[in-house]
Amino acid sequence: MDTQDRTEHSGARGAPLSVAQAEAALVEHYPRLVRLAFITLPPSLGRHRRVLAAHGLVQRALPSLRTTTGRPAAASTLPAQRTAAPAEGAYLTLRARVLREALTYGKRPAWWPRHVPRPERLRPLLPAVWGLRLFPAAGGADELALEQALSGADSATRAALALRRVEQLSEDETRRRLADAGVAEPALALRTAERLGRQVLGEPGEGREHPLLSGEFDPCFVHTRPTDLLRRRHRVRTAAATLVVAAVAAGVLPVVIGDTPRPAERTAATGAVNASIAQRVLDPRNLVRPADDEWADTSRVDFTVWPARGDRVDDLPLLDRALKVWASPARTVRISSTPGAGTQPPTAPPRLLYAGDVDGTAVVLLNDGDRTIRYAEPADGDEPPALDFARTDDADVVTGAALVVTRDGANTRFLLAPWIDETTTRDLLEPDAPGGKLGVRADGVTDPVRRPGAGGTCDSWPVLQLRSSELIVEKHAFLLTDLGDLAPVHLTYTPPPGSGAPARQPREATSAAALRTWARSACHLPAMRGFGVRAVNNWVYAQQTLPEAGGRADWVCTRADTWRGPGRVMVQLHLPATAPTALGTPVATAEDTASCSRFGQHVLAGANWRAPKSGTWYLLAAGSRKVRTIEAGGGLKAEARGPLLAVRAPQGVKAELRAKTADGSTLEGMR
């Protein structure tokens, strides 16, 4: 056993520690403990609640420490029997406490009956933060990729990775600490964590700081944003009005005794709703319900013409709860929203898209024209309901073709638009394999579809391949993929530039060439989760013959368009490869840009490449079809006519690229 192992062993099972020692250790190592809790806690809490929960767990670790004699631990133990300093032993005890609490956060106690809802007093309390949302600083590509991978991993895997990379424990000690914290299979959790880390970040290198040590995972250094200001002002006014009404009514109204409300009714809505709004907007009988065939007789084919479906569309109590929780959710309600989707109450009666039971959850889908709202109420009443908001304005026949109904573990069920005639699934990582049939219930809900990247791996990427009714467009098939929002993402493809004058336009990604390109790009899609993405296009903007008979490389610009409008761009270099799913190499990225869209049709990027035969390094660069010359400056001086450049260059050279286009304008290279 090495020094670290002996220290850990003593800290976990050594003599009692005084509260003074524990307090000193907590203050000294507070950032480490909070980071460990933040990484281990379930991502489903959201970044704001996870920050608060991490601080709460660490702060509650101190009162649980007691000594058996009431005196300092050092006075009740023999120094010769101890292998860890008092302060170090206190930290190890605190860490064990925090780790155990984080692993079991929010779970029902083992002794609590399964059929009895968990009372609020048994739920962990959070530090109070009024009027602000907290979140750690945004990191780079590695941090984002790791965060996305960890979001699909279980708490034991996240804890194992934190112990190995943040606490720097050995593998044996990590397994012991996980076992002490109650993890049933610590070896499996450790293997999964190591595999996840290698898949996302590659092999750890010397002098390279692990992303878990960055600000992305530091809940002690946070940014703040206000909560929904309009809702807060509305609540203050309505709360004041409610107090006045209650004070008057208390003296004149008799006591009414009725049935005990269900847990969802008891805790999900605050009741602070303006009466004038409630009478009209929040009355479930006023929900808009388009006719079943309205979609076939209109020029606007989107969510506004979806008929109301599901076996509970006439369940007024369920619809009433959904509307009231939306208008005034209690603090226990789990709320998520995509960027640009406000969480304010409805101002007019919304449309009812779906109400029914799916996988033990009562689901209500509503649409107010700009947003789609999902209300999910667990059937057993153990957990509070959830509200999910997504911006879905200006949808069309494709982006309005499906919505997520439930996500259960590694699977997702979708509700399909009424104009979908044919449903299949296919794996983007098997471009030559035929699609498989996907079953659909009478109410439009699909059979479970495996979530892409479930478990933090990218060994498959299931997508929906749907075909529209001929009443809308003839023989129109398209691909949708789940990136974590309510509305799945539309995948498209733009082929390489041709010899003709007009530029190629995006098209459906169902052709053989499109599927081959997406097979090499699919595993980059997790980096686009959580941004409210509407569609992702793969544009092969240039093809280049490599030096020394190295084959042909494709330059691909992958653009993610959001429902808000701004786009995120990543340029990939697809080098010749024996495997059809060899992942393309990212060489440049940009955010909030028009590049690679119809409003930014010119692009230029470069990369370093090593010839496999001679080992010689080259600087490669490629521009879109309107590029006439390319110049390289900075660490290397070079020039080429046309949209392609390939010159010998020192390994790792950083060149600044600039190009001239056909109209004489200057184009800067992306980085």
Side-chain angles (χ1 to χ4, degrees), residues 108-242:
R108 187 202 334 253
W111 48 267
W112 194 260
R114 292 188 58 83
H115 63 282
V116 179
R118 185 182 184 189
E120 285 298 315
R121 66 177 181 272
L122 291 181
R123 300 183 186 276
L125 297 178
L126 301 181
V129 177
W130 296 95
L132 290 176
R133 304 290 293 178
L134 310 179
F135 53 93
D142 286 347
E143 287 81 2
L144 178 60
L146 185 58
E147 172 70 16
Q148 296 293 345
L150 289 176
S151 67
D154 58 25
S155 57
T157 298
R158 296 192 300 271
L161 194 59
L163 290 174
R164 283 284 287 140
R165 301 307 174 195
V166 176
E167 292 294 300
Q168 299 292 315
L169 300 188
S170 65
E171 293 186 3
D172 290 342
E173 193 59 29
T174 298
R175 285 191 290 268
R176 280 195 289 271
R177 297 288 72 82
L178 291 174
D180 290 343
V183 175
E185 297 183 89
L188 176 60
L190 179 59
R191 289 197 304 271
T192 304
E194 293 294 311
R195 183 172 64 250
L196 183 148
R198 287 193 299 269
Q199 289 175 342
V200 176
L201 305 170
E203 296 295 336
E206 292 293 333
R208 174 186 175 189
E209 184 181 76
H210 198 277
L212 286 181
L213 298 172
S214 69
E216 175 92 7
F217 299 93
D218 183 3
C220 289
F221 183 74
V222 296
H223 293 287
T224 62
R225 290 292 185 273
T227 55
D228 194 319
L229 299 178
L230 293 178
R231 175 180 290 180
R232 279 167 48 193
R233 183 165 59 180
H234 169 74
R235 284 182 175 176
V236 171
R237 290 176 177 174
T238 54
T242 302

Side-chain angles (χ1 to χ4, degrees), residues 43 120 169 201 238 243 279 295 336 426 438 467 477 514 590 621 631:
E120 285 298 315
L169 300 188
L201 305 170
T238 54
L243 288 176
Q279 290 180 358
W295 61 270
S336 70
R426 67 181 317 130
L438 177 63
R467 185 180 296 277
E631 294 181 0

Side-chain angles (χ1 to χ4, degrees), residues 27 95 169 241 264 280 308 324 348 370 420 447 462 554 611 628:
V27 172
R95 187 180 67 188
L169 300 188
R280 183 176 62 90
K324 287 182 177 177
D370 292 332
I420 299 302
D447 289 345
D554 289 346
R628 294 294 179 260

Side-chain angles (χ1 to χ4, degrees), residues 100 106 172 222 230 375 512-513 515-516 588 615 639 642:
R100 179 178 290 273
D172 290 342
V222 296
L230 293 178
Y375 171 82
L515 293 172
R516 285 194 296 269
E639 183 177 352

Side-chain angles (χ1 to χ4, degrees), residues 196-475:
L196 183 148
R198 287 193 299 269
Q199 289 175 342
V200 176
L201 305 170
E203 296 295 336
E206 292 293 333
R208 174 186 175 189
E209 184 181 76
H210 198 277
L212 286 181
L213 298 172
S214 69
E216 175 92 7
F217 299 93
D218 183 3
C220 289
F221 183 74
V222 296
H223 293 287
T224 62
R225 290 292 185 273
T227 55
D228 194 319
L229 299 178
L230 293 178
R231 175 180 290 180
R232 279 167 48 193
R233 183 165 59 180
H234 169 74
R235 284 182 175 176
V236 171
R237 290 176 177 174
T238 54
T242 302
L243 288 176
V244 174
V245 173
V248 174
V252 298
L253 292 180
V255 176
V256 178
I257 300 177
D259 294 336
T260 302
R262 293 180 51 180
E265 298 175 79
R266 189 168 58 243
T267 64
T270 66
V273 180
N274 185 282
S276 63
I277 297 178
Q279 290 180 358
R280 183 176 62 90
V281 178
L282 302 183
D283 189 339
R285 291 168 295 186
N286 290 335
L287 288 170
V288 178
R289 300 170 183 244
D292 289 348
D293 58 353
E294 184 173 330
W295 61 270
D297 296 314
T298 178
S299 60
R300 180 176 179 178
V301 184
D302 56 14
F303 294 118
T304 62
V305 294
W306 276 34
R309 289 173 289 175
D311 55 3
R312 300 183 68 175
V313 292
D314 296 319
D315 187 339
L316 294 184
L318 171 63
L319 301 177
D320 183 63
R321 289 196 298 275
L323 289 169
K324 287 182 177 177
V325 172
W326 176 7
S328 185
R331 294 182 63 185
T332 55
V333 176
R334 294 169 293 152
I335 300 176
S336 70
S337 64
T338 58
T343 59
Q344 66 271 16
T347 58
R351 295 171 181 83
L352 175 61
L353 306 183
Y354 183 84
D357 292 321
V358 183
D359 296 332
T361 300
V363 178
V364 178
L365 291 173
L366 303 164
N367 181 274
D368 67 354
D370 292 332
R371 300 169 298 168
T372 296
I373 297 87
R374 175 181 176 269
Y375 171 82
E377 179 184 286
D380 58 10
D382 279 353
E383 297 295 331
L387 273 178
D388 301 308
F389 295 83
R391 183 169 175 176
T392 55
D393 55 317
D394 198 27
D396 55 28
V397 65
V398 174
T399 54
L403 290 171
V404 170
V405 179
T406 60
R407 289 190 179 93
D408 183 13
N411 296 318
T412 302
R413 288 183 187 266
F414 298 90
L415 178 66
L416 301 182
W419 56 82
I420 299 302
D421 272 357
E422 183 179 323
T423 59
T424 57
T425 61
R426 67 181 317 130
D427 188 349
L428 284 185
L429 299 188
E430 296 184 9
D432 299 325
K437 199 68 177 177
L438 177 63
V440 182
R441 300 187 333 194
D443 61 359
V445 176
T446 69
D447 289 345
V449 179
R450 182 169 175 79
R451 293 174 60 186
T457 62
C458 191
D459 50 6
S460 68
W461 197 275
V463 296
L464 299 178
Q465 180 165 317
L466 308 179
R467 185 180 296 277
S468 303
S469 167
E470 293 188 359
L471 294 176
I472 296 178
V473 59
E474 186 178 359
K475 296 181 179 180

Side-chain angles (χ1 to χ4, degrees), residues 493 512-522 538 540 554 556 572 574:
Y493 168 75
L515 293 172
R516 285 194 296 269
T517 300
W518 269 112
R520 303 193 61 178
S521 305
N538 257 354
V540 184
D554 289 346
V556 181
Q572 305 174 55
H574 288 188

